[in-house]
Amino acid sequence: QVQLVESGGGLVQAGGSLRLSCAASERTFGGYAMGWFRQAPGKEREFVAAISWSGDSTYSADSVKGRFSISRDNAKNTVYLRMDSLKPEDTAVYYCVAARSGGRLHWVPRALTDFGSWGQGTQVTVSS
């Protein structure tokens, strides 16, 4: 269990960029793989990207590959999602998520059930 607080969402025009941030509790951040999900109105939550505990392994969904980039700064207890070339279909609430790595430094979770902690979400709206 880790507390997660997202920030950085907002309204942008298509083609624009945003960087989301997720601040995690200091005592537990280093033991977790981190990720991002998103949910648009009327749709199920979908995986966006994740990063391993070590920070050297990442995975992103095909829909955002080449446009979004996940990174983390363990010294600041923060994970980021850089979003470029935004499209209207990227409009959603974006959730920061954390998964206990169990000593696996390079594991990158992807399944919804892998993640035990969720933030409250931050709204991203992309206008055309």
Side-chain angles (χ1 to χ4, degrees):
Q1 186 177 0
V2 59
Q3 291 72 49
L4 306 171
V5 181
E6 303 98 330
S7 62
L11 173 64
V12 297
Q13 291 184 321
S17 299
L18 283 174
R19 188 180 75 163
L20 306 183
S21 298
C22 174
S25 56
E26 182 178 354
R27 292 185 293 108
T28 59
F29 187 73
Y32 290 84
M34 304 294 296
W36 293 90
F37 278 73
R38 67 185 182 184
Q39 186 170 29
K43 301 180 67 176
E44 295 185 351
R45 293 187 182 186
E46 64 173 336
F47 174 82
V48 177
I51 187 168
S52 65
W53 178 7
S54 66
D56 63 356
S57 298
T58 64
Y59 186 84
S60 60
D62 288 342
S63 60
V64 305
K65 196 167 296 183
R67 299 189 298 119
F68 292 9
S69 179
I70 189 170
S71 62
R72 67 190 295 164
D73 185 343
N74 288 350
K76 296 182 178 180
N77 301 328
T78 303
V79 63
Y80 305 96
L81 184 68
R82 174 71 183 186
M83 305 184 294
D84 296 318
S85 302
L86 283 162
K87 305 174 181 179
E89 50 262 45
D90 295 319
T91 295
V93 176
Y94 284 72
Y95 296 91
C96 180
V97 293
R100 298 184 69 176
S101 295
R104 296 170 290 178
L105 273 66
H106 312 293
W107 173 61
V108 183
R110 285 173 278 179
L112 183 68
T113 54
D114 287 335
F115 299 94
S117 299
W118 291 72
Q120 293 299 114
T122 185
Q123 177 71 48
V124 172
T125 303
V126 184
S127 62
S128 59

